[in-house]
Amino acid sequence: MGSEGPSPVTVHVTGFKRFYGVAENPTEKIVRNLQSFLEKRGMPKGLVLGSCTILEAAGQGALGPLYELFESSVVNRECGSLNQGQVILLHFGVNSGSHRFALENQAVNEATFRCPDELGWKPQRVPIMSSDGSILQSRQTTLPVKEISKSLQQMGYDVAPSDDAGRFVCNYVYYHSLRFAEKHGIRSLFVHFPLFSAIDEEVQMLFVASLLEVLASLNLL
């Protein structure tokens, strides 16, 4: 009997709706159009686009839909599928003050929102997960951020690793995602995007396609 070949990498992608100070969130449009864009361009080899979800730009009040997504991402793995491959939770958020892409290495156990989220919550120096200890605690991605960044730089993209995902909703979601990923043996990564006025939509869509190609090519064990 011949080998079935390597297992695919299943990626679940999220973006955010608009929020205070950002009338048009580029990640909402990117995630909404990603499936059709990849179908036209060609799905990266070895990659399965598991889902595309646009999240409310909110913390505590939006955890229900977030965890529904998390749980759905591991259903097949926990049912014992033989060729299930790796699962990556891939989150996109906007940094309106940046002119480049940033791959976030970590999230910190601190919620300090500079303005209320879209559900009116404005925590200050609050642990995201009190059971994890103080607001100084952090969680790191198990994906090789430097390697991924270097590959994308070689493709011509203005991208760099980052150790600071902020303390707003992006960091809040990423912390929960990293915690869930560690518990369930999957991976998580957060990517910050600039506004379309800094890098136009076409380039940003191509960046996502290239990022997915790089993720699919990693030798994830």
Side-chain angles (χ1 to χ4, degrees):
M1 294 178 64
S3 170
E4 295 182 3
S7 300
V9 175
T10 301
V11 180
H12 297 271
V13 184
T14 73
F16 286 108
K17 296 179 183 178
R18 68 180 187 176
F19 59 93
Y20 181 81
V22 178
E24 181 187 39
N25 192 326
T27 69
E28 178 176 4
K29 195 168 187 181
I30 289 167
V31 173
R32 185 190 303 124
N33 296 332
L34 184 57
Q35 179 82 43
S36 60
F37 179 81
L38 291 176
E39 286 173 354
K40 291 175 184 175
R41 190 173 187 269
M43 198 68 69
K45 184 179 179 181
L47 182 124
V48 174
L49 189 61
S51 63
C52 292
T53 306
I54 298 167
L55 303 171
E56 194 76 55
Q60 196 173 57
L63 285 178
L66 183 65
Y67 272 85
E68 286 178 14
L69 167 66
F70 290 169
E71 294 293 344
S72 70
S73 73
V74 297
V75 167
N76 290 336
R77 289 176 62 86
E78 295 183 350
C79 287
S81 173
L82 293 176
N83 199 35
Q84 59 205 1
Q86 272 291 338
V87 173
I88 299 174
L89 301 170
L90 182 60
H91 306 288
F92 297 160
V94 64
N95 180 352
S96 59
S98 178
H99 288 77
R100 64 175 8 178
F101 303 102
L103 307 183
E104 300 295 347
N105 277 308
Q106 64 178 8
V108 180
N109 189 31
E110 178 186 349
T112 296
F113 291 6
R114 65 186 183 277
C115 60
D117 67 17
E118 289 303 288
L119 297 179
W121 191 43
K122 190 182 178 183
Q124 297 296 306
R125 297 181 63 79
V126 173
I128 294 171
M129 295 296 298
S130 57
S131 59
D132 282 3
S134 80
I135 60 174
L136 300 178
Q137 295 294 322
S138 63
R139 289 180 177 271
Q140 287 73 38
T141 181
T142 55
L143 287 167
V145 166
K146 288 184 179 179
E147 178 185 333
I148 296 167
S149 181
K150 185 176 180 181
S151 295
L152 291 166
Q153 288 168 358
Q154 290 171 345
M155 295 177 185
Y157 297 107
D158 189 1
V159 57
S162 166
D163 290 324
D164 186 3
R167 300 295 184 272
F168 194 46
V169 174
C170 293
N171 177 74
Y172 189 89
V173 165
Y174 196 21
Y175 192 87
H176 277 279
S177 182
L178 288 168
R179 194 173 191 270
F180 183 89
E182 180 180 341
K183 181 179 179 181
H184 292 272
I186 62 175
R187 315 290 180 118
S188 174
L189 179 65
F190 197 103
V191 183
H192 266 121
F193 287 67
L195 296 172
F196 286 148
S197 57
I199 298 179
D200 67 45
E201 181 180 347
E202 181 181 1
V203 173
Q204 295 210 30
M205 293 300 296
L206 289 170
F207 170 82
V208 173
S210 297
L211 171 62
L212 292 173
E213 288 171 7
V214 172
L215 291 175
S217 71
L218 295 174
N219 186 23
L220 299 175
L221 300 176

